[in-house]
Amino acid sequence: MELRKREEPLPGRALFVILLLCVSGGRAETARYSVPEEAARGSLVGNIVKDLGLTAEELSTRQVRIVPEGEKQYFRLDQHTGDLFVREQMDREELCGQSEPCLVRFDVLLEGPLQSFRAEVSLTDINDHAPVFLNKEIILKISETTKPKARFLLESAQDPDVGNNSVHHYNISSNGYFHIYTRQRSDGRRHAELVLDRELDREKQAEVVFSITAVDGGFPPRSGTAVIRVVVLDANDNIPVFTQSLYKVRVLENSSEDTLVAVVSAKDLDSGMNGEIAYSIVQNSEDNRETFKINSETGQIRLKKPLDYEEIKTYEIDVQATDGGGLSANCKVEVGVQDVNDNAPEVTITSLTSSLSEAAQLNTVVALFSVRDRDSGDNGRTSCDLLGEQPFSILPLVGEAYALVTLEGLDREKVSGYNVTVRASDAGTPALSTSKTLVVRLSDVNDNAPTFSQAIYNMVLRENKPAGTILGRLNATDADAGENALVSYMLVLTPLEVSAARSFLSVEAESGIVRALHPVDYEEVHTFEVTVRAADGGSPALSAEALLRVLVQDENDNAPVVLHPPPDGSAAAGELVPRWAQAGYLVAKVVAVDADAGQNAWLSYELAKATEPGLFRVGLHNGEVRTARAVTERDAPRHRLVVLVRDRGQPPRSSTATLTITLVDGFSEAFLQLSQAHAGSPQQEEGDHDLLTTYLIASLCCISSLLLVVIAAFSGTTLCKGRLCPALPNSSARSSADSDLTADARDMAGRGDLWPGYHYEMYLTNDSGQSDFKFLRPVLPSPQSPPGCAEAGKGNMLEYSPQRAGQKRPEQGTAAPPSL
């Protein structure tokens, strides 16, 4: 009995469904369908349950399975409606090549009772490939004596499609000499012949160039184009003639590379070059080009690679013989591939029960498998059996499908699992066989709790890492199987751990990956602990707990902070150094701290910038600023140092401190006593600095007056040189300060002793702002110096110059040129 299903539409294409049910003896129906290649996933093929004559009640009570012929499943069955859908897109050229029809077979298996049905889906070709010429330029050499209506075989265009979608006809562009004729081979393929319409004249036109187009029969049609270049030759009045127009040979599929396939032979009555024949294969297919080669002189055709009967059974080779004058003739070589038993049966497991209950009934289906042999005839006929003593048996189904079923009762307490070896053998000579081992495990109850690989997990979280950073993975295993072995992870939030867990961590339930919820500051949190739990999927569920300890790793995210000198500059001008200071004299100490920990908080100091680089140095680890050499008279009175404080993090961070240092010619006893007082507020230190300047200006006045008396007494014969101190600020009235100007510790004798700074107190008249004061360098007595100069050198001297009263006074803290 044969039934035909009416057409059912697919999206964008027409789906033809044909159902053929054949019943002979036992029930072995075959359902046949048709679907276009590359049909989209989810496309309806048909309702296979209705086509098999089943009812909705049978569909709901009996389990229906699809068992594919190969390893890949291209269709899926809706268990509720019985509709058959496309699961994977299918490429007809990939599955079947040029073979027709292209069938995808599968079995439909019903249980309770066990029944099987055969089904096959025919893939109809669509026009998804355009014709392609292997050579984009075809060169023909034709004698000028060639008569009209002569035919020349052209290279065929390749189109993987079949039927009407393959090459249908050829066209050529207008040229005035040729027209094209399309012929059909016995295998259905079409090739082109070039027909000469009128005689060629080499003296008028040496070459004729035109294009050829191959058009397939699809809708819409596709095409491919190549260029034909016809070279007109001088007269050659005899063409080669083959001894046979058709050569038929058979070759075993296991023949090795370079095996001789056939020898073609042609003769040419011409002499000389016109009688020399060269053989070539006209590449009418990609398979021929990759499989065969020909000796151009002897005509021997040999294999370029081994043949495979299961892929291609017959080859047609077009051989062309061309003489030296360019004339050619053609013959055909048919190569039949002879099958040998070179393929062992292939066992494909289509369904396997992962866990079999020890209470399973007899004839329970454990696994479904199929056996396929690519050979033909007896070489492809197969049989199956089990190796060893097993409580199972093989039940043949339809076609090449088999089922592994239970043969007797099972007892897990005796045997927890079985390794069942299925052997498939063919009927070839010699016979080939393949074995496949199926692992059958017996299921058990949920009697094992998960076990953590560690009782305590120590994980490290780098400071300031973004949210979502992975700290690590929890790992727990369960000795059970199936759902009982599925482990999920969670946080156990005790009252002491709630805030830490919710603030910092999350655990993925399935993978156990621990992630950070937001960045953590090491300066705020160093470490915290959380309890984690792993529970299995059994009923009731069993669980285990472990401790998760998270250590926060410090990052170098804090730059050093300078404590001294203060960054507001309040102590930037308070460093005084005597000019007689030796090398190693302690000038000041830079104090800095870093909020980070470990190596990120290790600080080093270096001199980044200095008015005179060679005069001062900075201790690498203690930040002490000392003189690198003895202070000399040539050194500038004021110096500015920039000290760089850098930590050892990666990358390092740094800060700078600025020191202003003044070189002083000498210290009085009063200055030493005043410097012992404690420094006041920044406003007091600024007032103390003004008092010091006022005191120095008063001293300059006295020294200047004394110097004028000495000059007048000795009539300018004695000259005293001195260095000017900072001039009086541009202020009038009286200036007074009773203060506590405190300079940092000074090493007066180079012994490391800390001596106090000096304090000054001075009262000036209202007219003192109009005077010009200068510092003079102390003059030490010498045997050559007059007594007046020796007395003047005991202290700082001031000079008053009425004639300079109208000049601009130097700025406070700057030195004026020395006066005589």
Side-chain angles (χ1 to χ4, degrees):
M1 179 179 62
E2 180 178 84
L3 301 177
R4 293 188 178 272
K5 298 291 293 180
R6 67 178 182 180
E7 296 182 1
E8 295 185 17
L10 278 173
R13 299 183 179 90
L15 173 65
F16 300 95
V17 180
I18 303 175
L19 173 63
L20 178 62
L21 298 177
C22 299
V23 179
S24 61
R27 187 172 184 180
E29 293 84 352
T30 300
R32 293 184 174 88
Y33 300 87
S34 178
V35 63
E37 68 170 327
E38 297 184 359
R41 295 180 181 179
S43 300
L44 178 64
V45 177
N47 191 299
I48 195 167
V49 175
K50 293 181 180 179
D51 297 335
L52 295 175
L54 300 178
T55 63
E57 182 179 357
E58 288 180 304
L59 180 63
S60 61
T61 57
R62 301 176 67 182
Q63 185 176 3
V64 182
R65 300 181 184 180
I66 293 179
V67 182
E69 183 180 64
E71 297 180 358
K72 197 168 184 180
Q73 179 65 273
Y74 293 101
F75 304 95
R76 66 177 179 87
L77 181 65
D78 191 326
Q79 296 289 340
H80 300 287
T81 63
D83 291 331
L84 184 67
F85 298 94
V86 175
R87 181 180 180 183
E88 295 287 342
Q89 282 190 338
M90 294 165 285
D91 189 349
R92 193 204 64 80
E93 289 75 18
E94 180 181 350
L95 294 176
C96 303
Q98 296 291 325
S99 300
E100 279 198 287
C102 183
L103 301 178
V104 179
R105 298 183 175 90
F106 58 92
D107 296 321
V108 181
L109 181 66
L110 289 86
E111 296 181 4
L114 187 64
Q115 289 182 292
S116 63
F117 302 88
R118 191 69 169 173
E120 61 184 27
V121 177
S122 175
L123 295 182
T124 59
D125 183 56
I126 62 173
N127 190 24
D128 56 346
H129 295 87
V132 176
F133 288 93
L134 298 179
N135 296 315
K136 296 301 181 182
E137 184 179 44
I138 302 172
I139 299 177
L140 298 177
K141 296 181 180 180
I142 302 177
S143 174
E144 62 181 347
T145 60
T146 302
K147 299 300 181 181
K149 298 185 179 179
R151 296 174 179 267
F152 304 92
L153 182 65
L154 297 179
E155 174 185 338
S156 300
Q158 305 302 311
D159 193 333
D161 296 324
V162 296
N164 291 332
N165 294 328
S166 63
V167 176
H168 184 266
H169 64 276
Y170 295 84
N171 298 322
I172 61 173
S173 61
S174 176
N175 56 83
Y177 290 94
F178 302 92
H179 74 271
I180 199 74
Y181 183 79
T182 303
R183 284 185 177 272
Q184 186 172 2
R185 300 178 183 272
S186 59
D187 59 358
R189 298 181 182 178
R190 289 178 171 84
H191 67 277
E193 290 183 353
L194 196 63
V195 181
L196 181 64
D197 292 332
R198 63 189 182 92
E199 293 183 351
L200 300 171
D201 189 350
R202 185 178 181 279
E203 285 67 28
K204 292 183 179 180
Q205 188 173 353
E207 285 188 356
V208 180
V209 180
F210 51 94
S211 63
I212 180 172
T213 302
V215 183
D216 62 24
F219 183 83
R222 294 174 178 263
S223 62
T225 304
V227 175
I228 298 178
R229 185 182 301 276
V230 178
V231 179
V232 183
L233 304 176
D234 285 332
N236 180 21
D237 54 350
N238 289 287
I239 63 174
V241 177
F242 280 96
T243 57
Q244 296 177 232
S245 60
L246 176 63
Y247 295 81
K248 291 185 177 182
V249 295
R250 293 186 65 81
V251 181
L252 294 176
E253 67 170 333
N254 58 357
S255 299
S256 61
E257 182 180 347
D258 209 41
T259 298
L260 180 63
V261 176
V263 179
V264 296
S265 177
K267 295 182 179 180
D268 195 320
L269 298 178
D270 295 324
S271 61
M273 291 186 59
N274 293 332
E276 296 177 358
I277 298 176
Y279 301 91
S280 62
I281 295 177
V282 179
Q283 303 296 347
N284 53 13
S285 71
E286 184 71 11
D287 294 329
N288 288 350
R289 185 181 67 83
E290 295 178 352
T291 307
F292 302 96
K293 60 183 178 180
I294 190 170
N295 188 312
S296 61
E297 297 179 359
T298 63
Q300 293 181 348
I301 301 175
R302 296 182 179 272
L303 293 179
K304 295 174 67 175
K305 67 174 185 178
L307 304 177
D308 192 347
Y309 174 84
E310 286 70 32
E311 292 184 0
I312 300 178
K313 298 177 177 58
T314 304
Y315 294 87
E316 287 188 6
I317 307 173
D318 292 318
V319 180
Q320 181 172 281
T322 306
D323 62 18
L327 299 180
S328 61
N330 301 277
C331 73
K332 182 181 296 183
V333 179
E334 289 185 1
V335 180
V337 182
Q338 186 173 349
D339 182 49
V340 296
N341 190 24
D342 60 341
N343 292 283
E346 299 174 358
V347 179
T348 303
I349 306 300
T350 57
S351 178
L352 175 63
T353 302
S354 60
S355 181
L356 181 64
S357 174
E358 61 179 344
Q361 300 296 322
L362 298 182
N363 293 326
T364 298
V365 177
V366 179
L368 296 174
F369 61 93
S370 62
V371 179
R372 178 192 179 198
D373 196 318
R374 300 178 63 189
D375 295 322
S376 61
D378 290 340
N379 297 330
R381 191 170 68 252
T382 60
S383 60
C384 293
D385 61 340
L386 295 178
L387 299 181
E389 296 274 340
Q390 301 285 354
F392 305 96
S393 64
I394 295 178
L395 178 65
L397 302 178
V398 61
E400 300 171 344
Y402 300 87
L404 180 68
V405 297
T406 56
L407 184 62
E408 59 188 43
L410 305 174
D411 189 354
R412 184 192 174 279
E413 282 66 29
K414 293 182 179 180
V415 181
S416 61
Y418 297 89
N419 293 328
V420 182
T421 302
V422 178
R423 180 176 62 187
S425 305
D426 61 22
T429 303
L432 301 178
S433 62
T434 300
S435 297
K436 193 84 168 182
T437 300
L438 309 180
V439 179
V440 180
R441 300 298 182 192
L442 303 184
S443 62
D444 195 13
V445 295
N446 185 28
D447 57 349
N448 292 282
T451 303
F452 278 99
S453 59
Q454 300 173 224
I456 299 177
Y457 287 84
N458 292 314
M459 297 183 182
V460 178
L461 173 60
R462 296 178 68 90
E463 180 185 17
N464 299 327
K465 279 294 184 181
T469 299
I470 297 177
L471 279 67
R473 183 190 295 269
L474 303 174
N475 183 25
T477 57
D478 195 315
D480 294 323
E483 292 290 335
N484 298 330
L486 296 178
V487 180
S488 60
Y489 303 87
M490 67 195 75
L491 294 175
V492 181
L493 304 180
T494 64
L496 297 178
E497 298 170 343
V498 169
S499 61
R502 291 180 177 175
S503 301
F504 300 114
L505 298 178
S506 67
V507 178
E508 291 186 4
E510 296 181 0
S511 63
I513 294 177
V514 181
R515 298 180 182 271
L517 293 178
H518 62 76
V520 179
D521 191 351
Y522 174 82
E523 286 70 31
E524 296 179 1
V525 179
H526 293 348
T527 182
F528 54 90
E529 296 180 351
V530 174
T531 303
V532 291
R533 175 181 296 165
D536 61 24
S539 180
L542 302 178
S543 63
E545 294 183 353
L547 181 63
L548 172 60
R549 181 178 296 130
V550 179
L551 304 177
V552 182
Q553 185 176 3
D554 182 50
E555 288 288 319
N556 189 25
D557 58 343
N558 292 284
V561 177
V562 178
L563 302 180
H564 182 80
D568 56 2
S570 59
E575 312 298 338
L576 299 179
V577 178
R579 282 193 173 274
W580 42 262
Q582 299 299 316
Y585 178 86
L586 178 62
V587 177
K589 183 172 183 178
V590 178
V591 180
V593 295
D594 195 319
D596 294 321
Q599 184 174 337
N600 296 329
W602 295 357
L603 303 181
S604 61
Y605 304 80
E606 61 183 90
L607 189 60
K609 184 177 181 183
T611 305
E612 188 170 348
L615 183 55
F616 300 95
R617 60 181 173 84
V618 179
L620 179 63
H621 301 295
N622 55 21
E624 292 180 354
V625 180
R626 294 180 179 271
T627 55
R629 58 174 174 80
V631 180
T632 64
E633 293 293 331
R634 297 180 179 179
D635 295 326
R638 294 178 63 86
H639 295 264
R640 183 175 180 271
L641 306 182
V642 178
V643 178
L644 180 66
V645 185
R646 180 187 289 117
D647 61 25
R648 295 190 183 180
Q650 291 297 330
R653 293 177 177 267
S654 61
S655 300
T656 58
T658 303
L659 297 173
T660 302
I661 300 174
T662 303
L663 301 183
V664 182
D665 284 300
F667 293 90
S668 66
E669 190 65 22
F671 187 87
L672 293 175
Q673 294 174 358
L674 291 172
S675 63
Q676 294 177 350
H678 187 271
S681 64
Q683 292 79 5
Q684 291 175 335
E685 291 180 0
E686 182 178 1
D688 293 343
H689 185 272
D690 294 338
L691 290 176
L692 176 61
T693 304
T694 305
Y695 183 78
L696 293 176
I697 292 174
S699 300
L700 287 175
C701 293
C702 296
I703 295 172
S704 298
S705 301
L706 182 59
L707 182 61
L708 289 176
V709 174
V710 174
I711 293 174
F714 290 94
S715 302
T717 59
T718 303
L719 300 177
C720 295
K721 299 180 180 179
R723 181 174 296 178
L724 298 178
C725 291
L728 179 67
N730 189 14
S731 62
S732 60
R734 52 192 299 272
S735 169
S736 117
D738 41 11
S739 88
D740 298 329
L741 175 63
T742 301
D744 288 341
R746 299 291 184 269
D747 186 353
M748 299 299 295
R751 302 190 303 269
D753 297 336
L754 301 179
W755 285 23
Y758 289 89
H759 291 247
Y760 295 89
E761 189 171 293
M762 178 174 289
Y763 296 88
L764 302 178
T765 64
N766 292 334
D767 297 331
S768 62
Q770 300 176 359
S771 300
D772 188 6
F773 296 95
K774 301 180 179 61
F775 280 115
L776 296 181
R777 176 173 55 85
V779 180
L780 301 178
S782 64
Q784 294 79 9
S785 300
C789 285
E791 291 295 323
K794 294 180 180 179
N796 292 333
M797 301 177 63
L798 296 175
E799 177 187 271
Y800 173 70
S801 301
Q803 62 273 26
R804 298 184 182 180
Q807 299 179 2
K808 182 178 180 182
R809 293 181 292 106
E811 294 293 331
Q812 179 180 351
T814 60
S819 62
L820 300 179

